[in-house]
Amino acid sequence: MSKLNEQANGVYIISATPFTDHGELDLASADSLIDFYLEKGVSGITILGMMGEAHKLTEEEALSFMQRVLARVNGQVPVVVGVSHASHRHVERLAKTAMDNGAAGVMLAPGPNLATDPQVENYYLSVAQLLGNEVPICLQDFPQSTRVHTSVPVMLRLIEALPQIVMLKHEDLPGMRKLSQLRSQSEALGLRRISVLVGNGGLFLPQELARGADGAMTGFAWPEMLVQVCQAYAEGNPGHGEDIFDCYLPLLRHEFQYGIGLGLRKEALRRRGAIKSAAVRQPGPVLDRIDLQELSGLMARLERKLADKGLN
Amino acid sequence: MSKLNEQANGVYIISATPFTDHGELDLASADSLIDFYLEKGVSGITILGMMGEAHKLTEEEALSFMQRVLARVNGQVPVVVGVSHASHRHVERLAKTAMDNGAAGVMLAPGPNLATDPQVENYYLSVAQLLGNEVPICLQDFPQSTRVHTSVPVMLRLIEALPQIVMLKHEDLPGMRKLSQLRSQSEALGLRRISVLVGNGGLFLPQELARGADGAMTGFAWPEMLVQVCQAYAEGNPGHGEDIFDCYLPLLRHEFQYGIGLGLRKEALRRRGAIKSAAVRQPGPVLDRIDLQELSGLMARLERKLADKGLN
Amino acid sequence: MSKLNEQANGVYIISATPFTDHGELDLASADSLIDFYLEKGVSGITILGMMGEAHKLTEEEALSFMQRVLARVNGQVPVVVGVSHASHRHVERLAKTAMDNGAAGVMLAPGPNLATDPQVENYYLSVAQLLGNEVPICLQDFPQSTRVHTSVPVMLRLIEALPQIVMLKHEDLPGMRKLSQLRSQSEALGLRRISVLVGNGGLFLPQELARGADGAMTGFAWPEMLVQVCQAYAEGNPGHGEDIFDCYLPLLRHEFQYGIGLGLRKEALRRRGAIKSAAVRQPGPVLDRIDLQELSGLMARLERKLADKGLN
Amino acid sequence: MSKLNEQANGVYIISATPFTDHGELDLASADSLIDFYLEKGVSGITILGMMGEAHKLTEEEALSFMQRVLARVNGQVPVVVGVSHASHRHVERLAKTAMDNGAAGVMLAPGPNLATDPQVENYYLSVAQLLGNEVPICLQDFPQSTRVHTSVPVMLRLIEALPQIVMLKHEDLPGMRKLSQLRSQSEALGLRRISVLVGNGGLFLPQELARGADGAMTGFAWPEMLVQVCQAYAEGNPGHGEDIFDCYLPLLRHEFQYGIGLGLRKEALRRRGAIKSAAVRQPGPVLDRIDLQELSGLMARLERKLADKGLN
């Protein structure tokens, strides 16, 4: 299995973790979900992130899901595994387990209560030392959830100090200028160009691709859109990419609601046949009748638009 | 001048506060901006809100801007004035000044550091007692900025206790279910139906109108879209409303970036001839070359779409 | 083993979790630490709370520590086990495991991102339904850490609805008035009087005992002070209690520093012979030379004061 | 009037702003309060800080209070004026007004929503450029209130870049190590040694003086204690300083309760004859019967202790 590197691009889909209606891990749906993602053309898969409800799994469940996914993917695309944990030694342990099981790299958000640049920098330096050079790391910069802010200078210093950092999941909001600054300052300093994949559901994907992102790492329930948009930009056809993006934007924006968004996303995956149940582990969003109708309305509008444009 | 009441609907535009390039209050642009809003068909105007940079004005500047706006509006539509302040006695003073100068009502966000339902409820009860029954109040529910959460039960108790609360600026996020609950529970309890106008730049306007909102109170730089969408829903033509909305959504989503969003909004207003300078008081966003080009690209795409659909 | 009930009082010490210098769980020190606590006269022991670095343990480590503690305590005093978890089903599982192993009850902080009274109330109602009536619950009200605020009305409604809630760990800050209100309103409503033990390192212990607390649940490294103060109040001798308290206050205040406080506390426990190593799992505070000298100075001053007053 | 400089030390008392029972500014009490502070031996006075309820004053009230204080002080000690404001141009205006009226310098907290080191640094660089070299600045580092964290490297860079920064109000919590690092790193770099005065009510004053603080800038209602402790340390008699400190610590800790602490402080000042009314502008703490009795008890204990030790 090849390791994650700085050339990674395209769509690394953030995978949901499927449960049965009773909240048990649903490994059969893990298989069908992976098949769904691969059919849609994703370049990689990220599991056990926040959207994957990793914090609601036991360690045993997490391991069993990871092994099932890795077996199903079977080397077709790289799999990145989330290993964020409150304790350094458990980040180390989770990362070792992931790599031993065939992961291509790990994703790491900063620990809680880091309030200044030196604190954030030291966090990553300490953890990276434990993990060693052989574990490729994707930094997750998602302050809306972690409450930790990673400045551009900190990122640049980390890129310089730690060769194992090969990717950034860029998810600050607003964050477009940050992305531009990272690219321009990194180049001005002659640093390695790492892979930057964007999150936030892809809400600013076209603009971010134009500003130097290499793709998306997010969990939108229509991954084919993310794939097509990234492809259009890669082929030098941004206008076409933006046309496709705009068709899906009403739904994308709809999924982009913290909390209930995960419920909507799983319901969409269910309707699309990717998983059997849309259940989210409690406490978590449960969709009501209005939510379901609203989603149906938006999905019907998408179908019509794609048909109108000959994009379906 | 008639006062704000529960029947208010349509678009109450949140007005920017125009400055010169040097940061001085630009009252000539206040006139042209008000004319712009009125031409676009707004039903009301809200000034001195957060987007109006009210916290960056001296009291003298705020008064002078308010008087200029009220004179220019000259009773054509109701004007709502933001009066949030850390001190109750200054809320009272600001509200009195606003009403004496011809405002239709005031907008009030909860004070800081209110952490529980009783604290939020008591805040509004105390202030309302100072203001008296003659000052119509629009509650602003905007936890992303105020860090204060107003639950549906608190809103219902306030609606029951305080006849002067005639409007809610609904800006929680995600907040669609909250809006549905407010409407259904208010009806179940036989309470007054107050006006609900939605914020967040209008990001969920179609869904919120379907869930019982009466219109929008936000500052999107293309108010005609908000007006047309509200009208379409009022006329029982939601599909048409959603079609119009979708055309503008890429730009709307673009403006919906805390911080830099205000800079983009003022720049769009400047390009549309509504104000002379896009300056935001410092500290505040300053657009760079890439930001300006990106905005140009999105505006050009909007023009093409409207032309394609015969909507321009 | 008898279960936790509303009559609980005195000092329920919050137990540290001892590690070796290399960060491994140190079960021999668990034994000596428990012996230390029991010798100092505590009425109960709480394990796997925030101060117990529970979030830095694997599930296996947590279980092994819990079993070792329960075996060592061997029914001499009740043991309360922290079971807070992001997922309801894991709260349920952890609570079942704790009770099956002989715990007297469980401690439960509210889940994250609960922002209004109904959200907090529903959280506890949902979890309690899963746990059933047979698992005594201690509510932990510690908003400085959880960012969740539990209002007095919510507490009263929960006490009424859920007979299994027998104790409150009162740790809001400032929180003295809240404690008084809880007691007076509970009495006015004719509700069950539950046990209230105070946290925050005991910083306001004398005042809180005067306002109706039944004791302390905190981890101060000199538990004998907490025991003596509670005893003095119970015997109607508050002045004597306050005299003892004041001797230790400089050290108590010193331990009351979020983050580094845990390092200081473990170092004091080490110096007092209760554990072998003061190690805190990383990321966590590491004391430097100045920190250690400062602690020595404060400890020497305490010794002198106790000698002067004949209290040692 | 001489300007604030790096040699400042001792106690810069944070002045309350006195109101009448009806909430009007009480300028007669401003006089008696200043007299009280001067009699207690303070080295300087800071007005219009957070504790001074500056955010609850109109601009006219703030100006009138400032002028009254400066007239009463009449050059006997330096007066520092808080000028924090959301808008740079108003910081500039407030600072100019203060200096024109005879202030020795200004105190400046960082603006809101600064999340990274470069953001904090740029904030101060921008404002300092507006103020110019002639306005001495005291940086206020109080993240518990401002939610902005200023790292040691940022402080060091600002000290190097901006000669007008002559003082730090050190109020991070926990912050003792930060203070030690600032001193040692500043010396290692050969930077100017600025004055560091500590806040947080003085809760860690002895330890902070030992770690290199030059005094206190806080509003404890017994300024004579702060003065005596600073003096004892300056005279090389820290043990005596700590003895005095410990006598007052129960009361100091009691005042150290965000929110209600200000009410307690003003009530203590009222009882000590410094001001006529303990009123805090609403919304703000109102002491109830239990609060008042509790304060009486703690004050009586202080009197007895001071008598016992011959310190009164």
Side-chain angles (χ1 to χ4, degrees):
Chain A
M1 167 61 64
S2 68
K3 286 192 182 169
L4 195 68
N5 63 33
E6 293 93 340
Q7 278 70 50
N9 60 62
V11 177
Y12 277 61
I13 197 78
I14 300 268
S15 172
T17 300
F19 300 109
T20 67
D21 283 341
H22 297 94
E24 303 293 329
L25 198 57
D26 177 1
L27 292 176
S29 281
D31 287 345
S32 56
L33 181 60
I34 294 304
D35 294 348
F36 170 86
Y37 289 143
L38 291 173
E39 279 160 23
K40 300 304 179 193
V42 302
S43 307
I45 298 178
T46 301
I47 60 171
L48 299 174
M50 297 173 194
M51 178 204 151
E53 300 173 69
H55 56 301
K56 295 188 180 172
L57 301 180
T58 61
E59 295 165 19
E60 201 185 318
E61 288 171 334
L63 180 61
S64 132
F65 178 67
M66 179 176 72
Q67 289 173 334
R68 183 75 167 231
V69 166
L70 284 162
R72 191 72 173 194
V73 171
N74 195 21
Q76 298 175 71
V77 298
V79 175
V80 178
V81 178
V83 296
S84 301
H85 195 286
S87 164
H88 284 347
R89 62 188 289 129
H90 294 308
V91 173
E92 183 184 359
R93 189 178 49 81
L94 292 169
K96 187 177 173 346
T97 306
M99 297 307 289
D100 286 352
N101 276 275
V106 302
M107 182 162 70
L108 186 61
N113 302 324
L114 305 173
T116 63
D117 280 24
Q119 289 171 3
V120 177
E121 185 175 355
N122 288 337
Y123 178 82
Y124 280 114
L125 292 174
S126 313
V127 175
Q129 193 172 23
L130 288 175
L131 299 192
N133 283 354
E134 299 306 310
V135 181
I137 298 175
C138 168
L139 292 196
Q140 185 175 19
D141 182 29
F142 189 20
Q144 301 90 280
S145 173
T146 61
R147 302 178 199 250
V148 174
H149 295 263
T150 307
S151 72
V152 170
V154 165
M155 287 182 187
L156 295 172
R157 289 197 294 269
L158 290 171
I159 291 170
E160 183 156 32
L162 300 171
Q164 60 267 61
I165 294 182
V166 296
M167 185 185 277
L168 169 69
K169 181 175 186 202
H170 167 71
E171 203 156 9
D172 200 350
L173 182 65
M176 285 201 269
R177 187 175 290 180
K178 191 174 189 174
L179 174 51
S180 296
Q181 288 174 347
L182 178 68
R183 285 304 193 205
S184 63
Q185 293 178 24
S186 172
E187 197 179 340
L189 291 167
L191 296 180
R192 268 185 310 136
R193 186 189 187 282
I194 66 168
S195 170
V196 177
L197 304 185
V198 305
N200 279 316
L203 192 61
F204 299 98
L205 181 57
Q207 285 70 37
E208 291 172 324
L209 289 170
R211 283 170 179 264
D214 300 305
M217 187 187 276
T218 189
F220 186 49
W222 284 261
E224 62 268 38
M225 180 276 274
L226 304 172
V227 170
Q228 291 162 24
V229 172
C230 289
Q231 210 158 10
Y233 272 79
E235 292 166 353
N237 203 349
H240 179 58
E242 220 161 339
D243 287 344
I244 298 168
F245 178 84
D246 287 356
C247 288
Y248 290 84
L249 183 53
L251 258 170
L252 192 158
R253 162 220 58 155
H254 194 66
E255 267 192 27
F256 181 73
Q257 300 182 68
Y258 293 117
I260 199 164
L262 177 59
L264 294 166
R265 190 170 277 181
K266 283 189 137 179
E267 172 65 13
L269 289 170
R270 189 196 65 76
R271 293 187 185 186
R272 304 193 76 199
I275 56 179
K276 272 221 197 86
S277 163
V280 171
R281 280 214 165 152
Q282 293 309 300
V286 178
L287 305 185
D288 64 21
R289 192 183 47 81
I290 304 178
D291 299 327
L292 293 170
Q293 285 177 353
E294 204 172 52
L295 180 61
S296 300
L298 286 162
M299 287 176 70
R301 285 183 57 85
L302 172 65
E303 288 311 309
R304 282 199 299 276
K305 274 196 208 175
L306 293 177
D308 284 357
K309 296 198 184 286
L311 289 168
N312 54 346
Chain B
M1 169 62 63
S2 68
K3 286 192 184 167
L4 196 68
N5 64 34
E6 293 91 342
Q7 279 71 50
N9 61 62
V11 177
Y12 277 60
I13 196 79
I14 300 268
S15 174
T17 302
F19 300 111
T20 66
D21 284 341
H22 297 93
E24 302 292 329
L25 198 57
D26 176 1
L27 293 175
S29 282
D31 286 346
S32 56
L33 180 61
I34 294 303
D35 293 348
F36 171 86
Y37 289 142
L38 292 172
E39 279 159 23
K40 300 305 181 193
V42 301
S43 305
I45 297 176
T46 301
I47 59 171
L48 299 175
M50 296 171 195
M51 178 204 149
E53 300 172 71
H55 56 301
K56 295 188 179 172
L57 301 179
T58 60
E59 296 165 17
E60 202 185 317
E61 288 170 334
L63 180 61
S64 132
F65 178 68
M66 177 175 74
Q67 289 173 333
R68 184 76 168 229
V69 167
L70 285 162
R72 191 72 173 194
V73 171
N74 196 21
Q76 296 174 74
V77 297
V79 174
V80 178
V81 177
V83 296
S84 302
H85 196 285
S87 163
H88 284 349
R89 61 188 291 130
H90 294 308
V91 173
E92 184 185 359
R93 188 178 50 82
L94 291 169
K96 187 176 173 346
T97 305
M99 298 307 287
D100 287 352
N101 277 276
V106 302
M107 181 162 71
L108 187 62
N113 302 322
L114 305 171
T116 63
D117 280 25
Q119 288 171 3
V120 177
E121 185 175 355
N122 288 338
Y123 178 82
Y124 281 114
L125 291 173
S126 312
V127 174
Q129 192 171 25
L130 287 176
L131 299 192
N133 283 354
E134 301 305 310
V135 180
I137 297 175
C138 168
L139 292 196
Q140 185 175 16
D141 182 28
F142 189 21
Q144 301 91 281
S145 172
T146 61
R147 303 178 198 249
V148 174
H149 294 263
T150 307
S151 72
V152 170
V154 166
M155 285 182 188
L156 296 172
R157 289 198 294 270
L158 290 172
I159 291 170
E160 183 156 32
L162 301 172
Q164 61 268 59
I165 294 182
V166 296
M167 184 184 279
L168 169 68
K169 181 175 185 200
H170 168 71
E171 204 156 9
D172 201 350
L173 181 66
M176 286 200 271
R177 187 174 290 178
K178 190 174 190 175
L179 175 52
S180 295
Q181 288 174 345
L182 178 68
R183 286 304 194 205
S184 64
Q185 294 177 23
S186 172
E187 197 179 341
L189 291 166
L191 296 181
R192 267 185 311 136
R193 186 189 189 282
I194 66 167
S195 171
V196 176
L197 305 185
V198 304
N200 279 316
L203 192 63
F204 299 98
L205 181 56
Q207 285 70 35
E208 291 172 325
L209 289 170
R211 283 169 180 264
D214 300 304
M217 186 187 276
T218 189
F220 185 49
W222 283 262
E224 62 268 38
M225 180 277 273
L226 305 171
V227 169
Q228 291 162 25
V229 172
C230 290
Q231 209 158 10
Y233 272 80
E235 290 166 355
N237 203 348
H240 179 58
E242 222 161 338
D243 288 343
I244 297 169
F245 177 84
D246 287 356
C247 289
Y248 290 84
L249 183 52
L251 257 170
L252 192 158
R253 162 220 58 153
H254 194 67
E255 267 193 27
F256 181 73
Q257 299 183 69
Y258 292 118
I260 200 165
L262 177 59
L264 293 166
R265 190 170 276 179
K266 283 189 137 178
E267 172 64 13
L269 289 171
R270 188 196 66 76
R271 293 187 185 185
R272 304 194 76 201
I275 56 178
K276 272 219 196 88
S277 162
V280 172
R281 279 210 168 157
Q282 293 310 302
V286 178
L287 306 186
D288 63 22
R289 192 183 47 82
I290 304 177
D291 299 329
L292 294 170
Q293 285 176 352
E294 202 172 54
L295 180 62
S296 299
L298 287 162
M299 289 177 68
R301 285 183 58 84
L302 172 65
E303 287 310 308
R304 283 200 299 275
K305 275 195 204 173
L306 293 178
D308 284 357
K309 296 197 182 287
L311 287 168
N312 53 348
Chain C
M1 167 62 63
S2 68
K3 286 191 183 168
L4 195 69
N5 64 32
E6 293 92 341
Q7 279 70 49
N9 60 64
V11 177
Y12 277 61
I13 197 77
I14 300 269
S15 173
T17 301
F19 300 109
T20 66
D21 284 341
H22 297 95
E24 302 293 328
L25 198 56
D26 176 2
L27 291 176
S29 282
D31 286 346
S32 56
L33 180 61
I34 293 304
D35 294 347
F36 171 86
Y37 289 142
L38 292 172
E39 280 158 24
K40 300 303 179 193
V42 302
S43 306
I45 298 177
T46 302
I47 60 171
L48 299 175
M50 297 172 194
M51 178 203 150
E53 300 172 69
H55 55 302
K56 295 188 179 172
L57 301 178
T58 61
E59 295 165 18
E60 200 185 317
E61 288 170 333
L63 180 61
S64 133
F65 178 67
M66 178 175 73
Q67 288 173 333
R68 183 77 167 229
V69 167
L70 285 161
R72 190 73 173 193
V73 170
N74 195 22
Q76 298 175 71
V77 297
V79 174
V80 178
V81 178
V83 297
S84 301
H85 195 285
S87 162
H88 284 348
R89 61 188 290 131
H90 294 307
V91 173
E92 183 185 0
R93 188 177 50 83
L94 292 169
K96 187 178 174 345
T97 306
M99 298 308 288
D100 286 351
N101 276 276
V106 302
M107 181 162 71
L108 187 61
N113 301 324
L114 304 172
T116 64
D117 280 24
Q119 289 171 1
V120 177
E121 185 175 356
N122 289 337
Y123 178 83
Y124 281 115
L125 291 173
S126 313
V127 174
Q129 194 172 22
L130 288 176
L131 300 192
N133 282 354
E134 300 305 311
V135 181
I137 297 175
C138 168
L139 291 196
Q140 185 174 18
D141 182 28
F142 190 20
Q144 302 90 279
S145 172
T146 60
R147 302 179 199 248
V148 174
H149 294 262
T150 307
S151 73
V152 171
V154 166
M155 286 182 188
L156 296 171
R157 289 198 294 269
L158 290 172
I159 291 170
E160 185 156 32
L162 301 172
Q164 61 267 61
I165 293 182
V166 296
M167 184 184 277
L168 169 68
K169 180 173 187 204
H170 167 70
E171 204 157 8
D172 200 350
L173 182 64
M176 287 202 268
R177 187 174 291 178
K178 191 174 189 176
L179 175 51
S180 296
Q181 288 174 346
L182 178 68
R183 286 302 194 207
S184 64
Q185 293 177 25
S186 172
E187 197 178 342
L189 291 167
L191 297 181
R192 268 185 311 135
R193 186 187 188 284
I194 66 167
S195 171
V196 177
L197 304 185
V198 304
N200 280 316
L203 193 62
F204 299 99
L205 180 58
Q207 286 70 36
E208 290 171 325
L209 289 169
R211 284 169 179 264
D214 300 304
M217 186 186 276
T218 188
F220 185 49
W222 285 262
E224 62 268 39
M225 181 277 274
L226 304 171
V227 170
Q228 291 162 25
V229 172
C230 290
Q231 209 158 10
Y233 272 80
E235 291 165 354
N237 203 348
H240 179 58
E242 220 161 340
D243 287 344
I244 297 168
F245 177 84
D246 287 356
C247 289
Y248 290 83
L249 182 52
L251 258 169
L252 192 157
R253 161 221 57 154
H254 194 67
E255 266 192 28
F256 180 74
Q257 300 183 69
Y258 292 118
I260 198 164
L262 177 59
L264 294 166
R265 190 169 277 179
K266 283 190 136 179
E267 171 64 14
L269 289 170
R270 188 195 66 77
R271 293 187 184 186
R272 303 194 76 199
I275 55 178
K276 272 220 197 87
S277 162
V280 171
R281 279 212 166 154
Q282 294 308 303
V286 178
L287 305 185
D288 63 22
R289 192 183 48 82
I290 304 178
D291 298 329
L292 294 170
Q293 285 176 352
E294 202 172 53
L295 180 61
S296 300
L298 286 162
M299 287 177 69
R301 285 183 59 84
L302 173 64
E303 288 311 308
R304 283 200 299 276
K305 274 195 206 174
L306 293 178
D308 284 357
K309 296 197 183 286
L311 288 168
N312 54 347
Chain D
M1 168 61 64
S2 66
K3 286 191 183 168
L4 195 68
N5 63 34
E6 292 92 342
Q7 279 71 48
N9 60 64
V11 177
Y12 277 61
I13 196 79
I14 299 269
S15 174
T17 300
F19 300 110
T20 67
D21 285 341
H22 297 93
E24 302 293 329
L25 197 58
D26 177 1
L27 292 176
S29 281
D31 286 344
S32 55
L33 180 61
I34 294 304
D35 294 348
F36 171 86
Y37 289 142
L38 292 173
E39 279 159 24
K40 300 304 180 194
V42 302
S43 305
I45 298 176
T46 302
I47 60 171
L48 299 175
M50 296 172 194
M51 178 205 150
E53 299 173 70
H55 56 301
K56 295 187 179 172
L57 301 179
T58 61
E59 296 165 17
E60 200 184 319
E61 289 171 333
L63 180 61
S64 132
F65 178 67
M66 177 175 73
Q67 289 173 333
R68 185 74 167 231
V69 167
L70 284 162
R72 193 71 173 194
V73 171
N74 196 23
Q76 298 174 73
V77 297
V79 174
V80 178
V81 178
V83 297
S84 302
H85 195 285
S87 162
H88 284 348
R89 61 188 290 130
H90 294 309
V91 173
E92 182 184 1
R93 189 177 49 82
L94 292 169
K96 187 178 173 348
T97 306
M99 298 307 287
D100 287 351
N101 277 275
V106 302
M107 182 162 70
L108 186 62
N113 302 324
L114 304 173
T116 63
D117 280 24
Q119 289 170 2
V120 177
E121 185 175 355
N122 289 337
Y123 178 82
Y124 281 114
L125 291 174
S126 313
V127 174
Q129 192 172 25
L130 287 176
L131 299 192
N133 283 354
E134 300 305 311
V135 180
I137 297 175
C138 168
L139 292 197
Q140 185 174 18
D141 182 28
F142 189 21
Q144 302 90 281
S145 173
T146 60
R147 302 177 200 249
V148 174
H149 294 264
T150 306
S151 72
V152 170
V154 165
M155 285 182 189
L156 296 172
R157 289 198 293 270
L158 290 172
I159 291 170
E160 184 156 31
L162 300 172
Q164 61 268 59
I165 294 182
V166 295
M167 184 184 277
L168 169 68
K169 181 176 185 201
H170 167 71
E171 204 156 8
D172 201 349
L173 181 65
M176 286 200 270
R177 186 173 291 180
K178 190 174 189 174
L179 175 50
S180 296
Q181 288 174 345
L182 178 68
R183 285 305 193 205
S184 64
Q185 294 178 23
S186 172
E187 198 179 339
L189 291 167
L191 296 181
R192 269 186 309 137
R193 186 188 188 283
I194 66 166
S195 171
V196 177
L197 304 184
V198 305
N200 279 316
L203 192 62
F204 300 99
L205 180 57
Q207 285 70 35
E208 291 171 324
L209 289 170
R211 283 171 180 263
D214 300 304
M217 187 187 275
T218 188
F220 186 48
W222 284 262
E224 62 269 37
M225 181 276 274
L226 305 172
V227 169
Q228 292 162 24
V229 172
C230 289
Q231 211 158 9
Y233 272 80
E235 291 166 354
N237 202 349
H240 179 58
E242 221 161 338
D243 287 344
I244 298 169
F245 178 83
D246 287 357
C247 288
Y248 290 84
L249 183 52
L251 258 169
L252 192 158
R253 161 219 58 153
H254 194 66
E255 267 192 29
F256 181 72
Q257 299 182 69
Y258 293 118
I260 198 164
L262 178 59
L264 293 166
R265 190 169 276 178
K266 283 189 137 178
E267 172 62 13
L269 290 171
R270 189 197 65 76
R271 292 186 186 188
R272 304 193 75 200
I275 56 177
K276 272 222 196 87
S277 163
V280 171
R281 279 210 166 157
Q282 293 309 302
V286 178
L287 305 185
D288 63 22
R289 193 182 47 81
I290 303 178
D291 299 328
L292 293 170
Q293 285 176 354
E294 203 172 51
L295 180 61
S296 299
L298 286 162
M299 288 177 67
R301 285 183 58 85
L302 173 65
E303 288 310 310
R304 283 199 299 276
K305 275 196 206 174
L306 293 178
D308 284 357
K309 296 198 184 284
L311 288 169
N312 55 347

